Amino acid sequence: MKAPILITGGAQRIGLAMAKYFIEQDVPVIITYRTKHDAVQALEAQGVKCLQIDFDQPDARDSLVTQVKAHTTQLRAVIHNASSWDCEKLNPDHDALFDNMMRIHAKVPYLLNLALAPLLEASNEVADIIHITDYVAEKGSPKHIAYAASKAALDNLSRSFAAKYAPQIKVNSIAPSLIIFNDDDDADYRAKTLKKSLMGIEPGCQEVISTIELLLNSSYITGRTLAVDGGRHLK
Ligand SMILES: NC(=O)C1=CN([C@@H]2O[C@H](COP(=O)(O)OP(=O)(O)OC[C@H]3O[C@@H](n4cnc5c(N)ncnc54)[C@H](OP(=O)(O)O)[C@@H]3O)[C@@H](O)[C@H]2O)C=CC1
Ligand SMILES: Nc1nc2c(c(=O)[nH]1)N=C([C@H](O)[C@@H](O)CO)CN2
């Protein structure tokens, strides 16, 4: 029996695409979800262990670790995908915004990596931790200041945990720019965003999945950040 992959925020969009991909590859999957999207029922029918976890709740991390340990004795990978793309304009309580961004993007991955390491080390092959960050971790973002800073913190965790857990566990970041739009993104925003990269496309979830597979299949890449950004840094 293969060891499962844990994906946080797996009930919609990129996280859901990851879960569906690994199910198709006959890899056991555990997801966390906050909102019970329609997809959760379908995932459960396909054998995915779906855990309702709101990381803003104080007992969330302990509850997740307890439930994961009750479900499996080993993990093949943990993919920290759950995220809140909040901004200063929509959240005038900047004190709370900063704490919320740091919690979901840095504190939760930090504490889960420490708590779940024994399960990853029990894997019968080299295991992986993958942090899904963002291009703006490198560049910053005047409209998503706290978000970008929290993603930069998450990116830095890759280097510390890579050094701490090698050689049994590899730890890397994937730093996407535009992957998929949100349904409420209007035509003007879409056109403006597409122009920000050299490739000028909305690549879709498979772009991230292919990068995850590259990391899972590598025996050597660790402590690194793989940019998936269409050459945005050169525009
Ligand atoms: N989409 C894109 O183009 C890009 C995405 N990224 C990164 O890729 C990853 C996936 O992106 P995308 O699929 O768009 O992500 P989403 O914005 O769809 O968020 C993914 C999930 O995270 C969950 N989540 C948010 N806050 C919490 C919380 N406090 N507790 C538990 N779950 C929570 C959400 O739950 P709920 O459904 O309840 O809201 C949601 O289902 C993210 O890390 C994102 O930052 C980076 C650059 C571009
Ligand atoms: N949690 C999320 N993070 C990000 C999202 C998103 O929808 N959810 N979207 C983006 C944008 O696509 C941006 O990369 C381009 O405008 C960034 N992060």
Side-chain angles (χ1 to χ4, degrees):
M1 182 71 172
K2 294 177 185 175
I5 291 178
L6 169 63
I7 302 165
T8 66
Q12 69 175 22
R13 295 165 54 82
I14 299 173
L16 175 58
M18 291 176 195
K20 288 179 174 179
Y21 172 81
F22 286 113
I23 294 163
E24 288 164 12
Q25 302 300 311
D26 292 326
V27 175
V29 174
I30 305 169
I31 69 154
T32 76
Y33 65 92
R34 178 175 59 180
T35 302
K36 192 161 189 175
H37 297 287
D38 292 345
V40 171
Q41 190 172 1
L43 290 175
E44 287 174 333
Q46 291 178 283
V48 175
K49 181 69 175 177
C50 300
L51 304 174
Q52 200 282 329
I53 302 287
D54 178 350
F55 288 115
D56 292 337
Q57 300 307 312
D59 64 347
R61 296 181 308 275
D62 288 346
S63 171
L64 174 57
V65 172
T66 299
Q67 291 185 77
V68 170
K69 288 184 173 178
H71 180 71
T72 182
T73 58
Q74 53 183 284
L75 285 169
R76 170 64 184 81
V78 176
I79 302 176
H80 295 288
N81 170 79
S83 168
S84 182
W85 194 35
D86 276 344
C87 63
E88 282 72 19
K89 185 176 180 182
L90 296 178
N91 294 275
D93 184 347
H94 297 155
D95 186 297
L97 174 63
F98 192 86
D99 287 349
N100 292 342
M101 293 294 94
M102 284 296 175
R103 180 191 309 114
I104 185 64
H105 297 136
K107 187 175 182 179
V108 164
Y110 166 75
L111 292 173
L112 289 180
N113 288 348
L114 292 171
L116 295 174
L119 296 184
L120 290 158
E121 286 163 345
S123 170
N124 54 22
E125 57 184 309
V126 173
D128 286 85
I129 293 170
I130 298 174
H131 300 135
I132 308 296
T133 62
D134 190 310
Y135 163 80
V136 296
E138 167 191 323
K139 185 178 180 187
S141 171
K143 293 182 179 177
H144 296 81
I145 301 169
Y147 166 86
S150 67
K151 288 287 192 171
L154 178 58
D155 185 59
N156 184 269
L157 290 178
S158 296
R159 280 172 277 298
S160 299
F161 279 114
K164 178 177 177 63
Y165 289 145
Q168 182 54 38
I169 307 169
K170 297 186 276 103
V171 187
N172 293 284
S173 294
I174 295 174
S177 185
L178 171 69
I179 299 297
I180 52 172
F181 285 112
N182 280 282
D183 293 342
D184 58 356
D185 289 335
D186 62 28
D188 178 57
Y189 172 81
R190 292 172 186 245
K192 185 178 58 161
T193 303
L194 290 171
K195 287 177 181 167
K196 287 182 179 179
S197 78
L198 293 178
M199 299 310 289
I201 61 168
E202 177 191 18
C205 300
Q206 186 59 42
E207 202 64 33
V208 174
I209 292 166
S210 300
T211 309
I212 290 170
E213 276 287 33
L214 183 151
L215 288 173
L216 295 180
N217 293 324
S218 168
S219 60
Y220 203 45
I221 301 172
T222 194
R224 284 299 186 187
T225 300
L226 302 189
V228 183
D229 60 16
R232 180 165 173 186
H233 62 300
L234 298 176
K235 278 289 273 199

